[in-house]
Amino acid sequence: MSSPHTVRWGILATGGIAQTFTKDLMIDPSTRNVSDIKHTVVAAASSSSADRARKFLEDCKCPSSAAAYGSYEDLVADKNIDIIYVATPHSHHYQNTMLCLQAGKPVLCEKAFTVNAAQAQKLIETAAAQKLFLMEAVWTRFFPLSRAIRTYITSGALGAVHRVIADLSFGEDVESTWGTSHRMVNADLAGGALLDLGIYSLTWCFQTLYATVPRPHRQPPTVASSLSKYAPTGADENTSIILTFPRGPGAPPHPAHGIALTNLRVATDVDGRGTAGPAIRIQGTRGEIQVDGPAYRPTRYRIIHKSVGRGGADRQEGGGEESGPEVEEFECGIPGQGMFWEADECGRCLRDGLVESEGMTHEESLVVMETMDQVRRQNGLVYPEKIETTKYPVRL
Ligand SMILES: NC(=O)C1=CN([C@@H]2O[C@H](COP(=O)(O)OP(=O)(O)OC[C@H]3O[C@@H](n4cnc5c(N)ncnc54)[C@H](OP(=O)(O)O)[C@@H]3O)[C@@H](O)[C@H]2O)C=CC1
Ligand SMILES: O=C1OC[C@@H](O)[C@H](O)[C@H]1O
């Protein structure tokens, strides 16, 4: 057996998710049955100080040889780095990712990819011109659970999928939890439910209704939406979206609806015990897949088969013969947070000289950003010009 390919990471920013991701990188890949890829962290940078970056590296138990930088500019100049993970707020993704790409570094950039589609387009063009790998860090798409569900749908076993309902809502007292400056609600940081949480509801609609169609036949959905703002900052706190995925050659002949929901004041899981039901329902003519939340880190799903003798048009007088179990339950444990699967994907793409991942293509990141742009346009949600601009460099 050949030795694993080692990926040397640089971490840009030292906040909450940077810690979680980096700790996942440090987990032995064999615990998730991975033997072809290994990860190491060779550097981290904090925009506030090198001391903060040093403490971050220690807290995450990174190798003692890892370099600690007090600026992102110093990080991107480090010749030992294979790829940079950008973990700043949404507002900063465009500027920070452009900095990395222009310094010749491949990038895994946190979601939401950028503030708008125009920025995403520029990053994709820059990566293509430089022949550099670039991916939006939609980690959930790389879970074995997500892959299994997509495979099940493409096999046709669920029949024609007509509707997907996906919700990621938090149920917080917004004022006391986030105030006005926290990145969740701060418009200067492109905060709000849509870009932060709604993107996962959209992810479930897209990965089941868009990514399951052969690539040449994928068509962007039409978008209808409603959004309410959090008065103190103008960021959105309640956003509901209905997507209609057109059908045609290479795809099922009927349009399918994706309903993507997000709300900061009411919760998907109201009692924290799943009593309210699944976060995601994928409804096909032969059955339904129900995925328990949270939508960003699901560990459990079930397939409910529409059996002969039960329900709908297949109902028979006196009940019919049933074939197989009516409900199949799947439990998918995660040996860590689960961010390592997207990191493994980056490693394989770098090893194979790819500039994008089939699991999260540039085109799909762009279509999702365009979808969120439409939702914002339909409801008058605009962020400050300095974070909507495609100008580079801009000091934020
Ligand atoms: N995939 C997932 O599950 C999750 C993804 N996220 C995404 O990750 C990104 C960061 O979120 P999170 O880690 O929670 O945020 P934090 O606020 O915890 O960290 C953000 C970091 O970005 C850096 N930064 C640079 N400029 C600014 C600025 N003006 N204001 C605030 N921070 C700044 C800081 O690091 P430094 O001082 O070191 O430069 C800061 O610690 C967001 O895009 C978010 O959507 C968040 C949570 C979960
Ligand atoms: O990406 C995310 O997933 C988990 C949430 O807690 C977080 O706010 C969000 O940014």
Side-chain angles (χ1 to χ4, degrees), residues 90 111-112 168 170 183-184 190-200:
H90 312 148
K111 41 58 61 178
L168 179 58
F170 269 7
R183 68 166 189 83
M184 281 294 285
L194 175 65
L195 265 66
D196 198 76
L197 304 180
I199 188 155
Y200 289 106

Side-chain angles (χ1 to χ4, degrees), residues 102-302:
Q102 293 206 347
K105 295 290 193 287
V107 176
L108 172 67
C109 175
E110 257 312 327
K111 41 58 61 178
F113 201 22
T114 47
V115 174
N116 56 45
Q119 291 183 343
Q121 178 71 50
K122 284 268 184 202
L123 293 182
I124 290 166
E125 285 167 8
T126 306
Q130 301 259 69
K131 298 190 174 51
L132 292 170
F133 176 79
L134 172 65
M135 188 172 97
E136 181 183 4
V138 190
W139 58 311
T140 317
R141 292 183 68 126
F142 300 95
F143 281 29
L145 173 147
S146 289
R147 291 185 194 273
I149 289 174
R150 292 197 301 267
T151 302
Y152 192 83
I153 293 170
T154 48
S155 77
L158 202 62
V161 181
H162 280 263
R163 190 169 66 176
V164 175
I165 306 166
D167 181 33
L168 179 58
S169 297
F170 269 7
E172 296 289 343
D173 178 67
V174 182
E175 287 78 2
S176 62
T177 307
W178 294 303
T180 54
S181 59
H182 191 280
R183 68 166 189 83
M184 281 294 285
V185 293
N186 186 339
D188 291 336
L189 300 180
L194 175 65
L195 265 66
D196 198 76
L197 304 180
I199 188 155
Y200 289 106
S201 307
L202 289 170
T203 290
W204 276 100
C205 294
F206 273 85
Q207 72 165 337
T208 53
L209 294 172
Y210 189 79
T212 51
V213 172
R215 215 168 154 174
H217 298 296
R218 293 177 194 167
Q219 292 183 61
T222 58
V223 181
S225 65
S226 182
L227 165 162
S228 315
K229 291 181 183 168
Y230 175 52
T233 66
D236 65 309
E237 60 171 34
N238 179 10
T239 297
S240 304
I241 308 166
I242 302 178
L243 306 171
T244 304
F245 289 86
R247 292 314 198 202
H254 56 84
H257 288 183
I259 298 164
L261 308 170
T262 183
N263 193 310
L264 299 183
R265 292 191 192 272
V266 293
T268 315
D269 185 9
V270 63
D271 61 0
R273 294 188 304 177
T275 310
I280 297 125
R281 297 179 66 185
I282 305 159
Q283 300 177 304
T285 49
R286 294 176 63 183
E288 170 166 331
I289 299 175
Q290 296 188 341
V291 187
D292 292 341
Y296 53 81
R297 189 179 180 274
T299 56
R300 208 167 44 228
Y301 71 103
R302 66 197 61 80

Side-chain angles (χ1 to χ4, degrees), residues 13-18 45-48 52 72 87-90 92-93 110-112 137 139 183 189 196 200 296 339:
T14 58
I17 203 59
S46 167
S47 56
S48 25
R52 186 174 155 99
Y72 300 159
T88 48
H90 312 148
H92 289 50
H93 291 176
E110 257 312 327
K111 41 58 61 178
W139 58 311
R183 68 166 189 83
L189 300 180
D196 198 76
Y200 289 106
Y296 53 81
M339 306 195 83

Side-chain angles (χ1 to χ4, degrees), residues 361-380:
T361 64
H362 293 166
E363 187 265 347
E364 194 168 336
S365 281
L366 204 50
V367 175
V368 172
M369 285 310 311
E370 277 161 0
T371 301
M372 295 199 288
D373 280 1
Q374 285 196 59
V375 172
R376 289 173 52 214
R377 266 198 305 275
Q378 287 171 6
N379 297 279

